[in-house]
Amino acid sequence: MTRTRFQTFDDPSHAKGPERIEALRAALREIGADGFVVPRADEHQSEYVPANAERLAWLTGFTGSAGTAIVLADRAALFVDGRYTVQAPAQVDTRTITVVPLAETSPEAWLGTHLKAGQSLAYDPWLHTPDGLARLERAATKAGATLRAVETNLVDAVWAGRPRPPAGRIAVHPEALAGEGAADKLARIRAAVRESGLDGLVVSDPHNLAWAFNLRGADIAHTPLALGYALIPVEDRAVLALTSPEFDPDLRGALAPLADLLPRTTFPGALAALCAGAARLRLDAATGSAALRSLVEAAGGVADVGPDPITAMKAVKNAAEIAGTRAAHHRDGLAVTRFLAWLDRAGPVTEIEAVEALEDFRAESGNLRDVSFPTISGSGANGAIVHYRVTRATDRRSEAGELFLIDSGAQYADGTTDITRTVAVGTPSDEMRARFTRVLKGHIAIARAVFPEGTTGAQIDALARLSLWEAGLDYDHGTGHGVGAFLSVHEGPQRIAKTGTVALKPGMILSNEPGYYKAGAYGIRIENLVLVEERPIPGGERAMLGFETLTLAPIDRRLVVPDLLGAADAAWLDAYHARVRERLAPDLDGETRAWLEAATSPLAGALA
């Protein structure tokens, strides 16, 4: 029987871009506006959005997870960050839409050049945070123009056949896996809100809602979320307003002691009731929309825009979540190792064949709930596209002398995984090996790092880049993102990046993924997940932290230049590979076990 897969390979719809842009311009003329802002966002600022919120992809053909389009009467622009500067021009009709790298020009600066005095720029207030809206307001004011909120999103108005809102099943996440009951979590949340001098919290981030109430849903792909909102007053009962229209009896029973369960459509009324008496409510700066702020203020409340305290609580995993994550990584390591052995034996394969094979190996565990994001499977030049997503139009077969980059992850009930391996197909060039080794040195530098409490991700990001910098090389993405526990594969606030300003704490999980990308030729990335842990130093004067590497799968030794790697880093790689063998070999079939023994044999001897 054929299994239902979690990924599709549909081609982007950029061929329809011009007619859709023109339809949007017609809608602008109907309301007398001169432009419209189309962010890649839903009303929760989610990374992965439901099908009915994929407005940017429908309008432009661009399928990346971040971007903003601005459509004026005479021009249109799509703004993307460094991950998508190669992908975006390949997906959109560049005769109609100009792709603008954010590193060169911001949307606000572009508006300052192209928006004219007296014009009006329309926007959907549910898709912009108060801070994002303030930036647009400053740009419009500087240009002598005005902003105009619309009640109905103009893309929705012209989107024929727009999908219906999601209505996925919602289930209780077992306390044995969550490690803490929802009642105890709500008590902690209320205490944090009270300490801030506030009367309540508006939970607009579905990840935080899922964590606080120990719920998991199926409203979007790849992340087990139930979309909706929660209101958590300091004194009164909580309110859950969920998008899904049906709540089964078990869910109602579990939530009855904690909150009133309401349909999403009733949320504005519940929010207005809570605001009576000038209540001060925390509105999450990262995910709360400008529309929410307007609702609070219109009802007589005070919107205190700032961080949702749940975000920081969720980032620090408890003992049960850590144990579950380790179990998930062991299970995932078996699947990835079997895949890598298959890939080595299979020889040249297509990118789609690799995606499907890896998903099959994961599914054979019987525990796979979903992939944690669409697999990045790039051979040759496609590997240089940082967030490449293979389609049937772009699918290519690997060739001898190339590199194959595969970045993938899984959702299991006990944990979320994310791993990238770059492997040689045939004999790699000396340049490929040298640059792979420099990326590996950066990866090991992070893995071996020991740092005092209070250190931020920004302070250690450079460790991953030093070897590349020595050769005049770099990469245009962060080195690591936070990861959830059967939640989002990209979780904040922790990150290892130039913008990682949050102090790392024991219990946080992050990725360690430096890379290098030669446009038109190949890409290299090596990614493991790591757990921040206490790292006492005998005789030391300060409390220190370090990383435990969670991911278990071999790194391609054929791409390593031993002399460039150096003895200390080679010793780390050998120790890592010895742990991979010890943990995985007993659970592998004989053929894969033999492959693993060879793939993880010691490298240090090559330095003798």
Side-chain angles (χ1 to χ4, degrees):
M1 186 174 75
T2 302
R3 180 177 73 78
T4 300
R5 296 189 178 277
F6 295 114
Q7 300 173 83
T8 61
F9 308 99
D10 298 330
D11 296 335
S13 57
H14 64 273
K16 297 180 180 178
E19 67 183 56
R20 293 175 179 179
I21 293 290
E22 287 307 312
L24 179 58
R25 285 178 173 142
L28 281 169
R29 290 192 292 270
E30 285 183 13
I31 67 168
D34 301 290
F36 190 61
V37 184
V38 186
R40 202 281 181 174
D42 64 1
E43 61 187 78
H44 307 285
Q45 300 296 314
S46 304
E47 177 181 13
Y48 298 113
V49 302
N52 70 319
E54 287 281 14
R55 299 177 179 92
L56 186 63
W58 179 85
L59 181 69
T60 69
F62 171 64
T63 61
S65 63
T68 299
I70 300 177
V71 178
L72 302 179
D74 60 345
R75 67 191 70 223
L78 171 65
F79 301 86
V80 296
D81 62 32
R83 296 171 294 176
Y84 299 116
T85 53
V86 176
Q87 175 181 334
Q91 289 189 314
V92 308
D93 185 329
T94 54
R95 297 168 301 176
T96 305
I97 303 167
T98 302
V99 176
V100 182
L102 283 171
E104 298 177 7
T105 305
S106 68
E108 294 78 21
W110 187 89
L111 285 170
T113 300
H114 299 292
L115 196 61
K116 298 179 176 62
Q119 291 186 325
S120 65
L121 180 68
Y123 70 97
D124 182 343
W126 286 98
L127 304 184
H128 299 266
T129 64
D131 182 61
L133 181 58
R135 292 195 298 271
L136 287 176
E137 287 175 335
R138 288 193 294 270
T141 299
K142 187 175 181 180
T146 57
L147 289 186
R148 177 177 172 181
V150 294
E151 292 186 7
T152 300
N153 189 291
L154 298 185
V155 172
D156 298 350
V158 300
W159 186 349
R162 179 174 172 244
R164 296 176 61 83
R169 182 178 180 274
I170 305 170
V172 175
H173 189 50
E175 189 171 329
L177 296 176
E180 184 180 7
D184 292 334
K185 290 180 177 181
L186 290 173
R188 283 208 284 147
I189 294 164
R190 286 188 168 103
V193 174
R194 187 180 293 111
E195 288 174 7
S196 297
L198 301 170
D199 300 306
L201 170 68
V202 180
V203 183
S204 51
D205 185 344
H207 305 84
N208 290 0
L209 183 153
W211 181 89
F213 292 89
N214 284 345
L215 300 177
R216 296 297 186 268
D219 281 346
I220 61 173
H222 314 314
T223 308
L225 297 180
L227 298 182
Y229 297 92
L231 302 176
I232 304 178
V234 167
E235 303 297 340
D236 299 325
R237 276 174 63 81
V239 172
L240 267 174
L242 302 177
T243 300
S244 182
E246 296 183 5
F247 311 125
D248 65 41
D250 290 342
L251 179 67
R252 286 188 179 277
L255 291 174
L258 304 171
D260 295 328
L261 191 56
L262 304 174
R264 160 67 180 84
T265 54
T266 67
F267 176 70
L271 182 58
L274 184 57
C275 291
R280 293 179 57 85
L281 301 182
R282 171 57 55 85
L283 185 65
D284 184 24
T287 65
S289 66
L292 287 178
R293 182 179 64 179
S294 297
L295 285 173
V296 170
E297 293 172 348
V302 177
D304 182 272
V305 179
D308 180 342
I310 299 173
T311 302
M313 296 178 187
K314 176 168 70 4
V316 177
K317 310 301 183 286
N318 59 42
E321 291 172 319
I322 292 170
T325 295
R326 289 193 178 114
H329 277 280
H330 180 269
R331 187 183 309 117
D332 204 58
L334 292 170
V336 172
T337 298
R338 293 173 64 200
F339 164 77
L340 291 173
W342 168 85
L343 185 64
D344 206 31
R345 294 191 298 265
V349 300
T350 71
E351 294 163 340
I352 290 178
E353 286 172 347
V355 172
E356 293 184 334
L358 180 50
E359 187 176 310
D360 286 342
F361 282 121
R362 285 185 163 122
E364 287 173 9
S365 73
N367 293 282
L368 181 66
R369 299 294 184 86
D370 201 340
V371 295
S372 54
F373 58 95
T375 298
I376 299 167
S377 176
S379 66
N382 287 342
I385 304 172
V386 178
H387 276 204
Y388 170 69
R389 182 174 178 180
V390 58
T391 69
R392 301 202 184 279
T394 64
D395 187 27
R396 68 182 298 275
R397 186 173 297 277
S398 59
E399 299 177 4
E402 291 185 337
L403 298 182
F404 201 119
L405 185 154
I406 188 150
D407 184 347
S408 68
Q411 293 283 12
Y412 304 102
D414 49 4
T416 301
T417 70
D418 185 1
I419 174 174
T420 307
R421 289 296 183 263
T422 305
V423 299
V425 181
T427 303
S429 69
D430 290 343
E431 178 187 276
M432 291 173 179
R433 295 182 69 230
R435 294 185 179 180
F436 180 93
T437 304
R438 290 188 182 277
V439 172
L440 178 58
K441 286 175 70 69
H443 177 93
I444 294 172
I446 295 294
R448 296 177 59 198
V450 179
F451 45 92
E453 283 187 354
T455 298
T456 67
Q459 290 174 291
I460 63 175
D461 177 77
L463 297 178
R465 303 176 188 270
L466 287 175
S467 184
L468 287 166
W469 287 349
E470 288 173 354
L473 309 171
D474 202 356
Y475 51 94
D476 294 327
H477 57 77
T479 300
H481 54 81
V483 178
F486 189 37
L487 274 174
S488 177
V489 74
H490 298 136
E491 177 181 274
Q494 72 276 25
R495 59 186 316 199
I496 302 173
K498 297 172 185 177
T499 54
T501 58
V502 172
L504 303 183
K505 296 181 179 181
M508 287 180 169
I509 297 173
L510 304 102
S511 66
N512 171 11
E513 51 178 312
Y516 168 75
Y517 311 92
K518 185 171 184 178
Y522 59 86
I524 297 166
R525 188 160 63 251
I526 304 169
E527 177 186 18
N528 288 338
L529 298 192
V530 295
L531 171 70
V532 182
E533 62 179 2
E534 295 180 355
R535 191 68 61 82
I537 304 297
E541 297 179 350
R542 298 192 179 189
M544 304 296 285
L545 305 175
F547 294 118
E548 172 195 342
T549 295
L550 298 168
T551 305
L552 298 168
I555 295 168
D556 195 342
R557 295 168 61 261
R558 297 168 298 182
L559 285 165
V560 177
V561 180
D563 289 341
L564 178 58
L565 186 64
D569 289 343
W572 181 93
L573 183 63
D574 285 348
Y576 173 70
H577 276 157
R579 186 160 67 92
V580 170
R581 283 196 309 275
E582 177 185 359
R583 293 286 304 279
L584 300 185
D587 297 319
L588 293 169
D589 62 271
E591 185 179 17
T592 306
R593 189 183 310 121
W595 178 89
L596 178 63
E597 291 284 346
T600 59
S601 59
L603 183 73
L607 293 164

